[in-house]
Amino acid sequence: MSISLNKGQTVSLTKKSGGALSKVRMGLGWDAAKKKGFLGRMSEQSIDLDASALLFDASGNVVDTIWYNQLVSKDGSIVHTGDNRTGAGDGDDESIKVDLSALPANVQTVVFTVNSFTGQGFAQVENAFCRLVDEANEDEIARYDLSATGSHTAQIMAKVSRDGAGWSMTAIGGTASGRTVAAIAPAAAQHL
């Protein structure tokens, strides 16, 4: 059963049967808000949101970055499934798969971000969400609604952190500005 997270809420990534999850997927979904066009008619627009993952060590240094231009982490433990440039369709528009058991020992936190590559603010985005899925059985573990509207062009969605012998996920929902993951990395580091 999925947990709907609120900003700042944390959920353990321990299986119901005991033991820790090993492979998870962070899914991002969104729709472009319709805008008024000629003669007040509503028209479609394209918004290219990009999901990214930043890997941090215990000192807060970026170890690696996974995004549309680097789809696989240097060690192969994280894979971005590809860039969706419109948000069209149902379900996850972009996904990042994480093999938690294969992450290097120096990686303490994986921060998931989303940015508007086309530069529109989140006031022009509807139905945006991120969700964490157990890759073994496709069960949704947690979902966080990215409903913060405004002129910001990026959000720090959530983080997965080492929690003793296992991992936990925290919904962040922080806003930032920037069209690329490099531009929003300093904002992501503030949420470690």
Side-chain angles (χ1 to χ4, degrees):
M1 183 166 103
S2 178
I3 297 172
S4 182
L5 295 177
N6 294 316
K7 191 174 186 175
Q9 190 175 7
T10 299
V11 62
S12 173
L13 299 185
T14 303
K15 292 182 182 181
K16 295 174 195 172
S17 60
L21 293 171
S22 60
K23 294 183 180 182
V24 296
R25 180 178 75 244
M26 178 62 73
L28 166 67
W30 77 92
D31 294 316
K34 293 185 180 184
K35 63 180 183 175
K36 280 192 176 181
F38 186 67
L39 298 175
R41 293 186 183 146
M42 299 305 279
S43 65
E44 299 282 330
Q45 64 176 328
S46 290
I47 296 178
D48 182 5
L49 295 186
D50 292 323
S52 303
L54 294 101
L55 285 66
F56 289 92
D57 64 17
S59 299
N61 298 312
V62 175
V63 175
D64 200 355
T65 306
I66 296 78
W67 53 302
Y68 70 85
N69 219 13
Q70 181 182 321
L71 297 176
V72 180
S73 61
K74 294 171 191 165
D75 60 35
S77 64
I78 299 182
V79 176
H80 191 302
T81 61
D83 190 17
N84 178 323
R85 297 182 179 168
T86 65
D90 294 330
D92 299 339
D93 295 312
E94 292 193 12
S95 293
I96 299 174
K97 297 179 179 185
V98 182
D99 185 346
L100 297 169
S101 62
L103 281 170
N106 67 322
V107 174
Q108 295 298 305
T109 306
V110 179
V111 177
F112 297 97
T113 65
V114 57
N115 58 275
S116 173
F117 184 74
T118 45
Q120 292 103 327
F122 271 76
Q124 297 178 53
V125 176
E126 294 179 338
N127 308 318
F129 66 86
C130 68
R131 68 187 194 119
L132 197 68
V133 176
D134 181 348
E135 279 283 282
N137 56 18
E138 293 296 314
D139 284 348
E140 183 177 283
I141 301 160
R143 176 180 287 257
Y144 179 60
D145 177 20
L146 301 171
S147 61
T149 61
S151 61
H152 59 281
T153 57
Q155 285 197 42
I156 314 306
M157 294 188 294
K159 67 180 177 181
V160 174
S161 305
R162 288 192 192 270
D163 184 8
W167 294 84
S168 62
M169 176 188 166
T170 303
I172 297 172
T175 61
S177 293
R179 293 179 48 198
T180 64
V181 68
I184 60 176
Q190 293 176 6
H191 294 280
L192 299 177

